[in-house]
Amino acid sequence: MFSYSGVLALTAAVLSALSGLFFIVGGVWLIVVGGSWYYVIAGVVLLLTTFLLLRRRAEALWLYAAIVIGTLVWSIWEAGIDWWPLSARGDVIFVIGLLFLLLPAHRAFHSARRSVTAGRVGLAVSLLGAFAIAAASWATDPHTQAGSLPDRRAAATASDVPAGEWPAYGRTNAGQRYSPLTQITPQNVANLEVAWKFNTGDLRGQPGDPQETTFEVTPLKIGERLYICTPHQDVIALDATTGEQIWRYDPKIRDRLALQHLTCRGLSYSPGGGGAPAGSVGAAPAPRPNPVPDLPVAAEGGPTTTCTAKLFMPTADGRVIALDPDSGAVCANFGGGTGQINLWSGMPNVKPGAYYSTSPVVVTRDFIIVGGTVLDNVSSREQSGVVRGYDIATGALVWNWDPAKPEETEPIPPDATYTPNSPNAWSILSADEGLGLVYLPMGNQPPDQWGAERSEAVERYSSAVVALEIATGRVRWSYRTVHHDLWDYDVPSQPTLIDLTVNGNTVPALVQPTKQGEIFVLDRRDGKPILPAREVPAPQGAVSGDWTAATQPKSELSFDPAPLRERDMWGVTPFDQLVCRIMFRRLRYEGRYTPPSLQGTLVYPGNFGVFNWGGIAVDPERQVAFTTPAYLAFVSQLVPRQDDKTLYVQGSERPQGSLPALNENFGTPYAVKLSAFVSPLGIPCQEPPWGYVAGADLTTGKIEWRHKNGTVRDLSPVPLPLTMGVPSLGGPMITGGGVAFLSGTLDYFLRAYDLTTGRQLWQSRLPAGGQATPMSYQGRDGRQYVVVAAGGHGSLGTKAGDALIAYALPR
């Protein structure tokens, strides 16, 4: 039988030998692609150490001590005193060293006792040194930026919205995600408790559900009721104080849809009393034939009523339905008696499910304004990105703004269609009725990674913020956040409107977060930057036939991360870190805006975005922003197409009549493979943190504090609550009491933060992923409530659920 010492020695020898072999083979590959020599050197020394150990020579101890010290010095040189990067480089080396140290000296080595003792002491000292550096890294956090945001600097602006209400997606059309309620404060937020919980019964996993079936709703609070929509498009009214269901409406959306997303981020509300004036520009055209004959009728089989106030629900099959907030009945005095608007009217390339609106419509006094989303990276023959304005009283079309024909805003004739494949506004719009403008965050013309055939008009409005006149749909101004976007850097979130005090003057501002990490602060009257924005050189060299812009805009307020380097690669062990280094060196990467390529391009920030549809929250009195920057790299590789049928991404022929796969880009020279930049273990190749909370002063453009945020509890095989900083998808919310809330992290918590310093004050475990934006209101019991949806997100892999949870302070 094997002795204890023999097993231990054999284990140490095998681990050392295998590690050495892996380091040499991978290290040679890394050197060939221009990377670090450390792994080859360490691999050779490990094999030599193994040889000496098998010969039972005490020199093995000294040599291994040299590996520990050399690895430690190299690690500090590359990563500094930062625990997670250090651990990835040294954890295996340290563990094998402990095995060497535990070997019984009198059995494992033939050398003289004094020589063995000295070697053991040398190895012990090296391991203690490594442990001491590790312990020092636990006490430091180079990623934390301490600071504080300024106190109140502006008087509260007058508002028609009572403090306890939340009648629009971002509470108002300004999209600030700010509640003026002050009952919850940094001093008492830790006392929050669950007040009620409501389960919708609408769960992911039904036949035909796409991967991105998500519960992303932010409720509306109007009077004594909350209004929500579910992923499968039910509309539900709840008692705002008790959470009890009052009514429920099922729009019976058409099945077998070509959906990439199945979600509803929210509803829209009109108190009534509006309507476009008679004789206004763009009087309603004659009815046109319905291009989808079997589109359901909103009122069929259910109650109808004549509505003054209305709830508007966008559906996945391309409708906007008007409902009575009191009863849930369909508004018979809207949509020519149908209770709905058919968004397929005038749309080219009719494919049910390929065009719809996941975001709530914008409601003004006289109009509802509707954008929509098209399928991403499927083909160059998608629907139009037209944005339309409808009479709020009747649902009649008043104007249409087609980005490919921006001057032609009169409603198109009944037999005409909008321009196919023009850029779309899929996210949430904002509006300033005082200025008479609606603000559009624009996406790209599909596909995202090929732009050779984009027209001048398309280029002007792709990935731009566009201001249209509410009454006419005419362009007042536009501001491009990316030139010739080849990275899916569409403008992802609702523009936030705030009045800023600049040099003693009050300036009406628009604050626009972007996927690439810029936050542009513009004058919302004319689109000119308030905080400076400059053009910076960008990498060149697009594939043949396409081109790249020479420069790209960069704002004074920027969360643009530093360019990645080989030393920024990460892993759980040095083995997967080595693989990530090789992957990094094999990809094309010259910093942000490196164009897509045939070899594969590292896109950083990736198209997940530093900011996504959740946007930011601002405090209008303090003139500050609470932000949630995320940092994940992606890989984009172009695949030459030989025909318009082959499924290049899936590697098989396209079946007759089937829906095209994501990223096939039919009609263009290239398909595209898109993926997160992860190791063979599925872990991000770049070192953490991957997600933060940060506070910014909007008047100066200065980031005052930043803290890594979120744990890997729900991401790792073992639920360890390690605060590594994880991305979030879903927006933050601020209250007048100086507390910010966020639920969108990839671990399942609602968290509260001190707005002044960013310090986490409280958290509550959620039953599923919280990929939504919280909101706050006052119940009839006088308490301030915070409500969040916990439903998970399919493509992020967070747990699915159907819960709406309300929190309040104890009675």
Side-chain angles (χ1 to χ4, degrees), residues 762-800:
W762 168 86
Q763 66 180 25
S764 177
R765 183 73 173 159
L766 298 174
Q771 279 67 63
T773 302
M775 51 82 74
S776 188
Y777 63 90
Q778 184 173 314
R780 63 175 172 271
D781 57 1
R783 292 195 294 171
Q784 179 181 355
Y785 289 80
V786 174
V787 172
V788 66
H793 195 283
S795 62
L796 296 179
T798 52
K799 182 180 177 182

Side-chain angles (χ1 to χ4, degrees), residues 326-659:
D326 289 335
S327 65
V330 173
C331 297
N333 57 329
F334 187 80
T338 67
Q340 65 186 17
I341 296 167
N342 182 1
L343 298 179
W344 284 103
S345 183
M347 194 62 68
N349 301 326
V350 173
K351 291 179 288 186
Y355 175 84
Y356 51 102
S357 183
T358 57
S359 298
V361 304
V362 164
V363 170
T364 66
R365 189 181 72 88
D366 297 321
F367 299 91
I368 65 168
I369 301 168
V370 186
T373 184
V374 303
L375 299 182
D376 245 352
N377 299 334
V378 171
S379 79
S380 60
R381 300 180 292 271
E382 296 305 315
Q383 296 71 44
S384 178
V386 63
V387 176
R388 288 170 279 193
Y390 298 90
D391 185 285
I392 200 164
T394 67
L397 180 67
V398 178
W399 56 260
N400 39 231
W401 180 71
D402 183 339
K405 299 178 179 178
E407 304 302 322
E408 301 175 14
T409 61
E410 296 279 343
I412 62 173
D415 57 347
T417 58
Y418 301 110
T419 307
N421 222 50
S422 52
N424 60 89
W426 60 266
S427 191
I428 305 99
L429 316 184
S430 300
D432 182 336
E433 294 201 67
L435 293 176
L437 297 177
V438 59
Y439 302 97
L440 319 179
M442 295 297 295
N444 241 336
Q445 179 187 63
D448 293 312
Q449 289 78 24
W450 171 256
E453 298 174 0
R454 295 174 188 165
S455 67
E456 182 180 346
V458 162
E459 290 284 5
R460 185 182 309 126
Y461 300 117
S462 286
S463 301
V465 184
V466 180
L468 304 181
E469 295 176 355
I470 292 173
T472 67
R474 296 193 181 104
V475 176
R476 182 76 62 84
W477 59 261
S478 65
Y479 184 90
R480 276 190 287 180
T481 67
V482 186
H483 305 310
H484 196 62
D485 182 4
L486 300 175
W487 306 272
D488 192 18
Y489 282 163
D490 44 8
V491 182
S493 62
Q494 182 178 26
T496 297
L497 313 182
I498 179 175
D499 293 340
L500 295 178
T501 304
V502 180
N503 298 324
N505 299 316
T506 299
V507 181
L510 178 149
V511 182
Q512 183 61 67
T514 65
K515 284 186 176 181
Q516 61 271 29
E518 306 303 319
I519 295 184
F520 294 98
V521 182
L522 311 174
D523 189 319
R524 65 177 183 266
R525 296 169 295 189
D526 55 20
K528 295 180 179 178
I530 295 172
L531 291 181
R534 67 186 193 280
E535 294 289 326
V536 297
Q540 299 297 291
V543 292
S544 177
D546 208 340
W547 57 280
T548 52
T551 63
Q552 295 288 354
K554 187 177 182 65
S555 174
E556 183 80 7
L557 177 51
S558 177
F559 287 88
D560 175 28
L564 290 175
R565 305 160 297 177
E566 180 197 321
R567 65 179 58 186
D568 298 318
M569 298 302 101
W570 190 73
V572 175
T573 68
F575 308 124
D576 50 321
Q577 186 192 54
L578 173 54
V579 173
C580 285
R581 286 174 181 258
I582 294 169
M583 292 166 60
F584 175 80
R585 287 289 185 178
R586 295 185 68 198
L587 293 169
R588 181 180 177 188
Y589 180 65
E590 294 136 41
R592 189 168 65 157
Y593 301 117
T594 303
S597 63
L598 299 176
Q599 75 183 78
T601 289
L602 187 64
V603 181
Y604 184 65
N607 58 353
F608 181 87
V610 176
F611 302 105
N612 208 295
W613 57 261
I616 62 175
V618 304
D619 184 324
E621 298 180 28
R622 299 174 69 167
Q623 303 188 8
V624 300
F626 182 92
T627 71
T628 60
Y631 299 101
L632 287 175
F634 276 65
V635 176
S636 170
Q637 182 179 10
L638 298 176
V639 181
R641 299 196 63 86
Q642 300 301 318
D643 57 51
D644 210 24
K645 291 184 178 180
T646 303
L647 290 173
Y648 281 76
V649 175
Q650 295 183 349
S652 61
E653 289 298 314
R654 179 181 172 190
Q656 181 68 31
S658 70
L659 296 174

